[in-house]
Amino acid sequence: ANLITYCENIANGAHLFAQNNPESYKFIGRVFVNNKYFELAELFLKKAKDVCYVDPEVHFLLAKCSLHKNDLNSAIKSLKTSLEKGYGYYPAKKLLKEITN
């Protein structure tokens, strides 16, 4: 919606949101991934991984960041972790199949 200042305020206050909802870092990271701000996404997703390591979506989104950097090995590792933690998390399974075939 082109609300850059609004987004900056949310990103700058992420630590406050995370005090009440540990998944806040993941939500912010997902928005950055979906809008192709992969470097910013990775910052928030690494924090999310520290808080919610067992969340398969965090690893899936980190894989997308790795793919953007053409780091196939890291992407595959993240996707395998996603599948392990998410008991066959379908988006990770689908992406892993796409990048290894």
Side-chain angles (χ1 to χ4, degrees):
N2 205 24
L3 300 171
I4 302 302
T5 302
Y6 182 75
C7 290
E8 285 177 356
N9 289 336
I10 290 173
N12 289 334
H15 64 287
L16 299 173
F17 292 115
Q19 289 174 358
N20 291 310
N21 185 349
E23 289 191 326
S24 296
Y25 292 125
K26 177 181 76 170
F27 298 145
I28 294 168
R30 184 189 314 131
V31 169
F32 284 132
V33 166
N34 291 339
N35 287 281
K36 301 188 183 343
Y37 292 102
F38 295 101
E39 293 80 15
L40 290 171
E42 192 170 16
L43 293 172
F44 286 94
L45 292 169
K46 284 182 178 180
K47 289 182 181 185
K49 188 169 84 168
D50 291 341
V51 176
C52 308
Y53 187 81
V54 297
D55 188 327
E57 187 180 12
V58 171
H59 298 281
F60 171 73
L61 293 168
L62 281 166
K64 286 188 163 191
C65 293
S66 294
L67 288 174
H68 176 74
K69 295 187 297 187
N70 293 316
D71 186 349
L72 188 61
N73 290 330
S74 291
I76 290 171
K77 182 179 175 186
S78 291
L79 291 170
K80 286 181 178 180
T81 302
S82 179
L83 289 169
E84 176 188 316
K85 300 300 177 192
Y87 305 102
Y89 183 66
Y90 181 74
K93 187 176 183 177
K94 180 181 175 191
L95 184 56
L96 184 60
K97 185 177 179 180
E98 288 174 8
I99 66 174
T100 57
N101 286 335

